Amino acid sequence: MGNETWVVADLTIDGKVRKVTLEAISEARKKLQGTLCGVLLGSGVSALAPELGRYGAEKVYVVDSEILGDYSSEGYSTALSELIKKHSPDIVLAGNTSQGQDYFPRTAARVGAGLALDAIDLGLSDSGRLTVKRYMYSGKSIATVEFLDNSPAMATVRPNAFKPEEDPKTPEVLSESVDIPADCIWTKVVEVKRKESTRPELTEADRIVSGGRGMASSENFPLIFELADTIGAAAGASRAAVDAGFVPYEMQVGQTGKVVSPSIYIAIGISGSVQHFAGMGSSKVIVAINKDPDAPIFSKCDYGIVGDLFKVVPVLTKEFKNLLAQG
Amino acid sequence: MKTYVIVRQTPDTEAKIKVNGDGRSINSESIKWIVNPYDEFAIEEAIRIKENHGGEVILITMGPARNLAALRTGLAMGADSAIHIKDESFASADPYAIAKVIAQEIKNPGDYDLILTGKKMIDEETGQVGIHVAEDLGIPQGAVVTKLDISDDRKSVRVQKEIEGGQVIVDLPLPALLTCERGLNEPRYASLPGIMKAKKKPVKVIETGDIDFSSIGLSAEQLGEGGSRYAVTKLEVPEIKRRLHMIEGMEVSDAVKELVTALREEAKVI
Ligand SMILES: Cc1cc2nc3c(=O)[nH]c(=O)nc-3n(C[C@H](O)[C@H](O)[C@H](O)COP(=O)(O)OP(=O)(O)OC[C@H]3O[C@@H](n4cnc5c(N)ncnc54)[C@H](O)[C@@H]3O)c2cc1C
Ligand SMILES: Nc1ncnc2c1ncn2[C@@H]1O[C@H](COP(=O)(O)O)[C@@H](O)[C@H]1O
């Protein structure tokens, strides 16, 4: 036993495998060793095993139990920690999602494993131990962290940090029965509300358009939404825009908001504070639109237009529409 | 309601990060320290709960002497008392060890209803100390919470969390541990009378020597860097090269054309 690398699948509200899971499997296949295994926790999840296989999982452990139908930290951490104790994997990964940040620490505490959250790089040391890179100090530094043992080494990975690449396998599916006593579930789910938005999730988005205080009011935010929808982007905001009540908190990007890493980030009417950069500084390409040529964002972006956003953004939306219509 | 708030100091959000000669730690000489912003949400929420339901708010921190400033800030905001587990070596301890020591202080005397803390430190961003405390105490947790309501009978708490693609609302029995996210509240500023009063509020100091490590299954070494399950082997300040291609002094339509062309042909992101 042992010598396995596990990726625990993150599922959407609708029970689909999240992209970050496929990203983690692909990266683990390239950078780590041992048998690559997927883990499915939930109710009625067995059917998802082939999808994990498509990205390279050679084996898939499934804990399919009604008690896991509603997510709870107790249910998930009990299921995962029992599996870990039984099979002793070397490395256990999951996405750095709202669930991953919730039950991975609890599981790590229970099995006595070291855990690093939000990895942006995975590797093995000379002695075969997991190493990860992760941001510290709010995006201002990158730490290389080396685990001192693989018993197991646990990490969550940042969405969008890795590319999902297919490598089709027909995985061996192992159905595991784990005893999860009903009285160990404390959480009672009252309600799950779905966002109506058809835009991508900020933390997973490959393109993001954000508005700041320069937007001046919530009535102007449709400018941002229309531009975002034109290029299939998620919509974000600075804290100043959230504090002013233009848009809800869940759109905030930054040190005390969401951490994002899209391939293009368009900052509109945003000055570029260190706290905002803490959330989007790792974007591949940063575009800024600001009327102040001395705005700090212009010293840390790839492309900048100096101009009034109310004039520039509608034209930009139109130009993107034209471009994308041509294909 | 007796609420514990686990808090810590962190470098100011504007702080410039300089890496030490060893290449794996930061130079903290000229750093200004503040209360970890997520912990401020926790302190504020605890004080509001006390205002609505009565009871007391106890702050608890673990770390070097300067952490007293963080406790004083929380006391000035309205917390009643504080516990300072003081040792210089705790700085780089393992979250598991930090949590064990903090949990031990909460376990005895043991009568508590709620524990609040931040969702993560903004410096090391470990993001797990609170949850380790919950596991150690054997109580439920709610991580990354944006709203909470104590039930009328004070036996449970209704918690709202943002999840990808929506929100979930769950009920947890008390006592429980919750980690706080921005959106929960707007922390108040300490008033001048609050600051004056804070100076007289009790701060219990626990020195390393006072802790009975064996009874919590830890050795003193585990609290230092040696006890950690992983080590930071390198710390770098990321150097992302930006193109700094400025488009100015043009008609809007020309400026936009230049941008869109560059995004397609040069950056290849559209
Ligand atoms: C502890 C702490 C945590 C924080 N966390 C975050 C965080 O997570 N995220 C975050 O974003 N901030 C955060 N902040 C706040 C941060 O310091 C800044 O205040 C904030 O980012 C500023 O937002 P802004 O750029 O939209 O506003 P401003 O700094 O006011 O900038 C507005 C910009 O819009 C431009 N503008 C105005 N009108 C127009 C126009 N018509 N056309 C074009 N441009 C125009 C202006 O030139 C200006 O540059 C935090 C602060 C603290 C202390
Ligand atoms: N040494 C410590 N003393 C008290 N609280 C701490 C300590 N380390 C972390 N915490 C708390 O645990 C929360 C999560 O921190 P972390 O897991 O280090 O990111 C923070 O918001 C702090 O309130």
Side-chain angles (χ1 to χ4, degrees):
Chain A
M1 269 199 263
N3 204 19
E4 289 187 349
T5 292
W6 289 8
V7 177
V8 190
D10 277 273
L11 306 184
T12 63
I13 299 183
D14 301 316
K16 299 206 177 79
V17 177
R18 298 203 86 84
K19 201 167 117 233
V20 65
T21 302
L22 309 175
E23 292 165 1
I25 294 178
S26 302
E27 192 67 11
R29 175 162 46 77
K30 276 185 262 175
K31 300 279 192 62
L32 307 178
Q33 290 168 357
T35 311
L36 183 55
C37 308
V39 178
L40 286 165
L41 308 175
S43 172
V45 290
S46 315
L48 301 171
E51 187 168 3
L52 306 185
R54 188 141 55 87
Y55 288 82
E58 299 156 72
K59 217 192 230 185
V60 177
Y61 294 100
V62 184
V63 183
D64 203 327
S65 162
E66 246 170 62
I67 214 163
L68 299 176
D70 276 338
Y71 170 81
S72 69
S73 25
E74 307 87 76
Y76 272 53
S77 49
T78 302
L80 184 57
S81 53
E82 290 307 312
L83 275 194
I84 289 172
K85 284 184 210 154
K86 185 166 160 201
H87 298 283
S88 314
D90 282 349
I91 295 171
V92 183
L93 307 173
N96 194 52
T97 57
S98 60
Q99 291 184 358
Q101 291 170 52
D102 187 58
Y103 77 96
F104 253 50
R106 188 103 192 186
T107 306
R110 196 163 293 176
V111 300
L115 165 66
L117 294 182
D118 212 11
I120 54 163
D121 192 22
L122 302 174
L124 291 175
S125 68
D126 296 340
S127 46
R129 300 201 184 102
L130 179 67
T131 61
V132 308
K133 283 193 181 169
R134 57 190 299 271
Y135 281 100
M136 291 209 308
Y137 301 95
S138 305
K140 289 179 212 163
S141 72
I142 295 177
T144 304
V145 174
E146 184 174 332
F147 284 75
L148 303 181
D149 59 43
N150 281 351
S151 62
M154 296 179 70
T156 63
V157 306
R158 175 174 294 193
N160 260 352
F162 310 120
K163 261 216 186 81
E165 280 168 31
E166 295 193 12
D167 178 26
K169 299 265 161 45
T170 308
E172 178 191 355
V173 179
L174 295 152
S175 169
E176 296 277 336
S177 67
V178 175
D179 183 31
I180 309 169
D183 63 3
C184 90
I185 309 289
W186 294 306
T187 306
K188 219 172 86 214
V189 176
V190 180
E191 195 185 350
V192 178
K193 290 190 212 166
R194 281 155 205 268
K195 237 178 267 157
E196 283 137 40
S197 169
T198 50
R199 281 174 211 116
E201 188 62 37
L202 260 179
T203 51
E204 294 178 347
D206 190 46
R207 295 172 178 176
I208 295 174
V209 180
S210 286
R213 201 197 315 262
M215 295 305 297
S217 79
S218 62
E219 283 75 50
N220 294 326
F221 255 83
L223 279 177
I224 299 287
F225 299 141
E226 217 188 309
L227 176 54
D229 292 342
T230 303
I231 57 172
S238 72
R239 174 157 169 179
V242 171
D243 284 348
F246 302 166
V247 287
Y249 165 68
E250 67 236 32
M251 280 175 61
Q252 183 182 318
V253 171
Q255 185 168 46
T256 46
K258 302 231 158 78
V259 176
V260 300
S261 44
S263 51
I264 174 167
Y265 187 92
I266 308 184
I268 299 172
I270 292 178
S271 63
S273 64
V274 280
Q275 294 92 352
H276 193 71
F277 264 88
M280 44 61 92
S282 66
S283 305
K284 210 168 117 220
V285 170
I286 296 174
V287 178
I289 299 169
N290 198 303
K291 67 177 179 190
D292 175 8
D294 296 324
I297 193 145
F298 285 136
S299 60
K300 287 183 279 188
C301 72
D302 295 282
Y303 300 98
I305 293 187
V306 181
D308 182 353
L309 72 92
F310 296 105
K311 298 204 179 100
V312 175
V313 175
V315 181
L316 183 59
T317 304
K318 210 172 105 221
E319 199 63 35
F320 274 137
K321 269 190 190 143
N322 290 342
L323 180 79
L324 296 170
Q326 292 161 19
Chain B
M1 291 286 295
K2 181 168 171 183
T3 305
Y4 281 94
V5 189
I6 308 175
V7 302
R8 215 191 84 180
Q9 261 189 332
T10 185
D12 170 37
T13 54
E14 302 270 354
K16 284 251 174 335
I17 297 303
K18 271 182 281 170
V19 177
N20 277 329
D22 66 1
R24 55 190 207 91
S25 60
I26 66 150
N27 183 327
S28 55
E29 253 163 44
S30 55
I31 281 179
K32 202 179 116 207
W33 297 87
I34 58 167
V35 179
N36 182 37
Y38 292 109
D39 297 353
E40 277 194 344
F41 303 131
I43 298 170
E44 175 65 32
E45 199 63 20
I47 296 169
R48 290 188 191 188
I49 290 169
K50 179 185 147 186
E51 286 165 353
N52 290 331
H53 297 268
E56 63 173 321
V57 176
I58 305 164
L59 308 174
I60 181 163
T61 193
M62 180 162 157
R66 60 173 157 70
N67 272 30
L68 181 60
L71 297 179
R72 289 286 174 219
T73 304
L75 293 171
M77 285 168 73
D80 298 288
S81 64
I83 302 171
H84 187 178
I85 307 164
K86 190 154 76 178
D87 189 297
E88 301 299 320
S89 72
F90 291 163
S92 45
D94 194 89
Y96 178 78
I98 296 174
K100 282 248 167 197
V101 175
I102 291 177
Q104 176 69 7
E105 280 313 309
I106 296 177
K107 229 179 261 177
N108 311 311
D111 58 327
Y112 59 92
D113 302 293
L114 186 65
I115 305 172
L116 299 178
T117 187
K119 79 159 175 183
K120 66 174 181 186
M121 292 294 306
I122 62 162
D123 50 12
E124 287 164 24
E125 307 187 40
T126 326
Q128 36 183 301
V129 168
I131 296 174
H132 276 62
V133 170
E135 170 68 12
D136 203 55
L137 294 172
I139 60 171
Q141 79 192 42
V144 197
V145 161
T146 51
K147 191 164 187 281
L148 68 92
D149 281 302
I150 306 290
S151 67
D152 291 338
D153 64 3
R154 294 178 198 146
K155 291 215 165 73
S156 69
V157 59
R158 179 158 292 188
V159 163
Q160 180 178 307
K161 300 166 37 139
E162 303 297 322
I163 59 169
E164 293 77 7
Q167 281 173 338
V168 340
I169 297 169
V170 302
D171 282 341
L172 298 170
L174 294 176
L177 181 142
L178 308 175
T179 76
C180 300
E181 167 70 309
R182 187 170 129 78
L184 187 59
N185 56 46
E186 273 309 319
R188 68 194 68 190
Y189 289 103
S191 65
L192 201 56
I195 295 169
M196 299 310 291
K197 263 199 237 157
K199 292 187 179 144
K200 292 192 214 97
K201 288 182 177 171
V203 177
K204 177 176 159 193
V205 177
I206 296 163
E207 308 274 355
T208 330
D210 303 337
I211 301 170
D212 179 6
F213 292 110
S214 60
S215 75
I216 50 176
L218 284 180
S219 64
E221 296 77 60
Q222 274 175 296
L223 285 173
E225 210 182 332
S228 190
R229 244 71 56 85
Y230 42 69
V232 173
T233 54
K234 197 161 126 200
L235 201 60
E236 309 158 81
V237 175
E239 278 271 8
I240 302 178
K241 279 252 178 302
R242 298 280 171 200
R243 287 196 177 86
L244 301 177
H245 176 156
M246 292 293 284
I247 305 172
E248 53 189 321
M250 269 186 223
E251 287 295 320
V252 168
S253 58
D254 294 336
V256 165
K257 280 212 177 76
E258 179 166 332
L259 173 65
V260 169
T261 307
L263 289 176
R264 168 146 287 194
E265 284 165 16
E266 191 179 48
K268 299 192 170 68
V269 285
I270 292 285

